[in-house]
């Protein structure tokens, strides 16, 4: 019992320490102060809210590390009882996916629906511990160290707990403003530059780092100018890094092989790789041949010769072929392809004429060299005009 009380006291002291360090809106976080004979609650209006947590702007009451007192910080606070709600959601999704896969003749199990739900669950549940997001931020900051046009908030790890994340506040303008309009403050040149920065960043995450921000949308990107660099170039801050995808070496190699073959316009090789890496394949030799020829035809029918600018259409057609010929697609491939599609959609909104292939191909080749891959055909490389 004394040991239990000691542990509880230490945890209470940590919470009190965090409260003393942070100051919100000019007052103490969560503290009530007296004014005469009545109590006044300090403003607690969040600046943002999501499905897992809401965010407040605060400032440090005392210095912390290299950050002096008064430094602005973002405080992310988890919603009450969120774990139970999320677990119930995944239970329902898992059962629904299982029922759909069980229906005869539809062959929906070859789309890896249940596997995709399980993979999403595995990357979503850790987000409920905000210390994991602090770790993700540190990883991203390490992966992109030295970059002048991409940044991630600095987490204050000592002030972070399971339910509360504290990170340095990012000042800037939401990316959504650049997506919505083009005017004197959101010039065409700036929009095109932001599209290029964002696309290159995501391609590096997918093909080189194997650590992907899995919640990329304009609301999670803040734009400013890097005043510490000559010329003050535009810079994108990627925030809300709780959801990430990391495939692991084996799945990453397979993904690089498959996407690399599609980008190089060798559909038959991509189809063969999908079959060879599938964990479940009830296809006959004829089905395998027809599946590979089908993938090859999808690539050949792409008049623009640009896989990464029409990922959604490719995925739809590939899923149809997988069900028809009983080839089980790997969830890792689908998730990586969807990450490409999301960022490509954002880039297209900012810069419709952008040739995504030209950005992605050098990174694909670099990823192949990194994994020591040989023999992937390069005869059909397309570099655009």
């Amino acid at each position: 019992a004394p040991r239990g009380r000691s542990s509880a006291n230490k945890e209470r002291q940590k919470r009190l320490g965090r409260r003393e360090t942070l100051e919100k809106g000019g007052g103490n976080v969560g503290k009530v102060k007296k004014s005469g004979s009545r109590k006044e609650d300090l403003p607690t209006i969040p600046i943002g809210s999501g499905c897992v947590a809401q965010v407040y702007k605060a400032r440090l009451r005392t210095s912390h590390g290299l950050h002096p007192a008064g430094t602005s910080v973002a405080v992310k606070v988890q919603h009450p009882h969120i774990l139970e709600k999320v677990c119930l959601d995944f239970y329902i999704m898992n059962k629904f996916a299982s029922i759909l896969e069980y229906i005869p003749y539809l062959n929906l199990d070859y789309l890896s629906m249940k596997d995709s739900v399980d993979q999403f669950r595995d990357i979503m549940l850790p987000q409920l511990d905000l210390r994991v997001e602090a770790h993700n931020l540190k990883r991203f900051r390490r992966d992109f160290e030295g970059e002048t046009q991409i940044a991630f908030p600095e987490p204050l790890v000592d002030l972070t707990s399971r339910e509360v994340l504290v990170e340095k506040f990012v000042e800037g303008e939401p990316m959504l403003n650049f997506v919505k309009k083009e005017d004197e403050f959101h010039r065409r040149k700036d929009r095109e530059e932001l599209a290029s920065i964002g696309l290159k960043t995501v391609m590096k995450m997918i093909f080189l780092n194997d650590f992907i921000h899995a919640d990329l949308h304009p609301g999670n990107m803040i734009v400013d100018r890097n005043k510490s660099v000559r010329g003050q170039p535009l810079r994108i801050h990627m925030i809300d890094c709780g959801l990430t995808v990391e495939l692991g070496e084996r799945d990453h190699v397979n993904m690089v092989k498959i996407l690399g073959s599609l980008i190089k316009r060798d559909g038959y090789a991509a189809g063969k790789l999908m079959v060879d890496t599938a964990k479940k394949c009830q296809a006959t030799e004829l089905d395998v041949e027809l599946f590979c020829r089908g993938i090859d035809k999808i690539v050949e029918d792409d008049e623009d010769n640009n896989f990464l600018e029409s990922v959604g259409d490719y995925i739809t057609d590939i899923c149809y072929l997988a069900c028809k010929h009983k080839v089980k697609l790997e969830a890792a491939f689908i998730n990586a392809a969807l990450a490409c599609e999301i960022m490509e959609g954002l880039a297209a909104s900012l810069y419709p004429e952008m040739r995504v292939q030209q950005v992605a191909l050098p990174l694909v080749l670099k990823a192949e060299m990194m994994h020591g891959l040989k023999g992937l055909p390069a005869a059909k490389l397309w570099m655009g005009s």
Side-chain angles (χ1 to χ4, degrees):
R3 181 179 296 176
R5 285 197 298 270
S6 175
S7 176
N9 287 335
K10 287 181 180 179
E11 183 62 29
R12 181 173 178 272
Q13 289 172 0
K14 286 182 180 179
R15 291 198 298 269
L16 289 174
R18 296 189 188 102
R19 175 183 285 184
E20 289 298 315
T21 303
L22 293 171
E23 184 180 22
K24 179 187 293 182
N28 299 328
V29 171
K31 193 172 181 179
V32 178
K33 67 177 183 180
K34 296 182 180 179
S35 176
S37 59
R38 68 186 180 87
K39 295 181 179 179
E40 294 180 350
D41 285 312
L42 295 170
T44 56
I45 299 175
I47 60 173
S49 183
C51 62
V52 171
Q54 54 193 29
V55 181
Y56 302 86
K57 184 178 181 180
R59 61 177 182 267
L60 296 178
R61 167 187 279 186
T62 60
S63 61
H64 183 79
L66 298 176
H67 306 296
T71 299
S72 294
V73 292
V75 182
K76 187 173 183 177
V77 183
Q78 199 175 92
H79 296 314
H81 312 298
I82 191 65
L83 177 61
E84 294 86 346
K85 296 175 182 177
V86 171
C87 288
L88 177 60
D89 287 343
F90 277 113
Y91 175 80
I92 294 171
M93 290 169 64
N94 189 288
K95 289 297 182 183
F96 187 65
S98 298
I99 291 171
L100 287 176
E101 290 188 350
Y102 188 74
I103 297 176
Y105 308 114
L106 292 183
N107 292 338
L108 294 180
D109 54 327
Y110 296 103
L111 299 185
S112 298
M113 297 174 65
K114 188 174 180 299
D115 289 348
S116 295
V117 170
D118 291 342
Q119 189 174 61
F120 183 46
R121 177 202 62 203
D122 292 342
I123 63 176
M124 182 69 183
L125 289 183
Q127 187 189 187
L128 302 181
D129 184 345
L130 295 181
R131 293 171 297 187
V132 173
E133 182 169 348
H135 171 78
N136 293 344
L137 286 168
K138 291 174 66 177
R139 169 78 181 269
F140 280 126
R141 286 171 62 84
R142 185 196 73 192
D143 287 348
F144 291 91
E145 186 177 7
E147 297 279 353
T148 60
Q149 293 190 284
I150 191 71
F152 297 84
E154 178 184 353
L156 279 63
V157 178
D158 293 343
L159 300 179
T160 296
S161 67
R162 177 181 291 273
E163 297 87 8
V164 178
L165 168 67
V166 182
E167 61 188 42
K168 193 171 179 182
F169 192 82
V170 175
E171 302 282 357
E173 186 176 3
M175 175 70 82
L176 195 59
N177 291 354
F178 289 86
V179 174
K180 284 183 175 179
K181 56 189 175 183
E182 180 181 327
D183 54 29
E184 58 180 318
F185 302 107
H186 310 89
R187 299 175 303 170
R188 180 182 180 87
K189 179 181 177 182
D190 293 339
R191 286 159 53 94
E192 292 177 358
E193 184 177 0
L194 290 172
S196 178
I197 296 168
L199 187 64
K200 287 179 182 177
T201 298
V202 174
M203 292 298 135
K204 286 181 180 178
M205 289 179 183
I206 294 172
F207 291 108
L208 301 184
N209 300 340
D210 185 24
F211 196 66
I212 308 165
H213 191 312
D215 194 16
L216 286 171
H217 58 78
N220 282 341
M221 298 182 193
I222 306 294
V223 180
D224 72 351
R225 291 206 173 263
N226 190 345
K227 296 181 180 179
S228 64
V229 177
R230 185 176 180 180
Q232 299 186 7
L234 286 170
R235 175 173 57 183
I236 299 176
H237 298 263
M238 292 190 172
I239 61 175
D240 199 5
C241 299
L243 277 177
T244 59
V245 174
E246 186 173 10
L247 302 180
E249 185 175 0
R250 175 182 169 274
D251 285 340
H252 189 251
V253 170
N254 292 337
M255 184 271 297
V256 169
K257 287 179 179 179
I258 294 170
L259 292 184
S261 294
L262 289 171
I263 290 171
K264 291 177 177 183
R265 299 189 48 72
D266 192 337
Y268 191 91
K272 192 69 169 62
L273 287 165
M274 290 181 202
V275 174
D276 293 342
T277 58
K279 294 175 182 175
K280 175 184 177 182
C281 183
Q282 297 179 356
T284 64
E285 189 174 334
L286 178 59
D287 273 326
V288 169
E289 179 65 21
L290 292 175
F291 176 79
C292 294
R293 288 183 183 180
I295 302 296
D296 199 41
K297 182 167 177 29
I298 292 172
V299 173
E300 289 180 359
D301 289 347
D302 180 10
E303 295 180 358
D304 294 330
N305 297 336
N306 211 340
F307 159 69
L308 284 174
E309 293 183 12
S310 50
V311 174
D313 295 334
Y314 270 70
I315 291 295
T316 300
D317 293 339
I318 290 172
C319 287
Y320 169 76
L321 288 173
C323 291
K324 183 178 180 180
H325 298 294
K326 301 182 179 180
V327 174
K328 186 175 178 65
L329 298 177
E330 290 299 305
F333 161 71
I334 295 175
N335 289 332
L338 289 176
C340 291
E341 167 70 1
I342 292 170
M343 192 61 230
E344 183 275 324
L346 175 58
S349 299
L350 293 166
Y351 185 10
E353 297 82 17
M354 186 176 186
R355 307 306 293 177
V356 180
Q357 202 93 332
Q358 292 178 326
V359 175
L361 187 56
L363 295 173
V364 173
L365 297 175
K366 191 172 181 179
E368 291 175 354
M369 293 174 62
M370 181 178 71
H371 287 301
L373 301 178
K374 297 179 180 179
L376 290 181
K380 297 183 181 181
L381 292 185
W382 181 88
M383 292 298 292
S385 56

